[in-house]
Amino acid sequence: MRTAAFFDLDKTVIAKSSTLAFSKPFLSQGLINRRAVLKSSYAQFLFLMSGADHDQMDRMRSYLTNMCTGWDVEQVKSIVGETLHDIVDPLVFAEAAELIADHKLCGRDVVVVSASGEEIVAPIARALGATHAMATRMVVEDGKYTGEIAFYCYGEGKVEAIRALAAREGYALEHCYAYSDSVTDLPMLEAVGHPTVVNPDRALRKEAGSRGWPVQTFSKPVSLRDRLPAPSGAAVATTAAVGVSALAAGALTYTLLRRFAF
């Protein structure tokens, strides 16, 4: 039986909004102006303080699609790739990194599921060692974002993506795990047999209490580099021996944006 652990990204695995975290490198590359950086910083503050309900997520979607309209897709990928470790590494919760490692050790796939754009989510998921990433996809024409959304990985959209992946990979969802901080991810948590809420907003904490779901608090952001110890000498020797053996045998993977006026 194949199983997986599904992780929301923002405030579940990392301590901030993954999209808003890249506002400074976007500024330095000329994609946004200082006014947009101020708005992003304010939105980040509101996100950390109050989380996100459905209305706030709708405002966030509108803000982000308007902001990125006309951006060159390859430039965005390049910026994210060049700044990923500097921006994201210090934001990863140590508890989340340990939990991801535990699930992988148990033989489960790890899937990052986020409403942020796939150009941001996919590299973060790879850095975390996740098996798959599912994220919002923007419409692209002539290499640029049109401002329209092809797939919004949010709410029921997350469940749609999870079920499609489960059907493709053969996951038994009743034996799978899911983690999120937001009540907007209630459908995702309901879709698996083992839901856990992490740093929950008020509404999700209430739901968890009424349903008897476990609640965890992640509070220790730590660099991924600090979470990946160098292999021991014995491990290196064992790996080398296995490699030699393999070669020998061969010879025979807001309100988020509140109505603020700038």
Side-chain angles (χ1 to χ4, degrees), residues 224-240:
L224 274 181
R225 294 184 180 94
D226 296 334
R227 298 297 309 158
L228 299 174
S232 65
V236 171
T238 301
T239 301

Side-chain angles (χ1 to χ4, degrees), residues 132-210:
H132 300 285
M134 296 184 290
T136 295
R137 297 191 306 274
M138 301 289 292
V139 176
V140 176
E141 290 182 1
D142 299 324
K144 298 181 184 299
Y145 297 117
T146 67
E148 298 177 349
I149 293 179
F151 171 69
Y152 192 28
C153 193
Y154 162 76
E156 291 293 342
K158 284 190 177 183
V159 176
E160 174 188 332
I162 286 171
R163 287 176 177 159
L165 182 65
R168 188 165 67 248
E169 297 291 336
Y171 301 145
L173 287 179
E174 66 272 20
H175 297 291
C176 288
Y177 296 73
Y179 302 86
S180 179
D181 69 290
S182 175
V183 71
T184 61
D185 281 335
L186 193 58
M188 179 178 81
L189 296 168
E190 292 173 331
V192 301
H194 301 284
T196 297
V197 303
V198 176
N199 300 337
D201 56 32
R202 185 178 302 175
L204 184 57
R205 184 177 294 275
K206 182 177 179 180
E207 287 286 345
S210 65

Side-chain angles (χ1 to χ4, degrees), residues 29-82:
Q29 294 296 316
L31 292 179
I32 59 178
N33 55 30
R34 292 187 180 278
R35 179 182 178 187
V37 173
L38 290 173
K39 286 185 176 182
S40 295
S41 298
Y42 183 62
Q44 188 76 264
F45 171 75
L46 294 177
F47 180 75
L48 292 174
M49 294 298 101
S50 61
D53 57 22
H54 293 288
D55 289 340
Q56 291 166 338
M57 288 300 293
D58 283 343
R59 292 189 180 94
M60 171 62 85
R61 176 180 62 176
S62 177
Y63 171 72
L64 293 178
T65 54
N66 290 335
M67 180 177 68
C68 73
T69 299
W71 286 6
D72 183 273
V73 177
E74 291 305 317
Q75 183 182 9
V76 172
K77 290 181 179 179
S78 176
I79 293 171
V80 172
E82 291 172 0

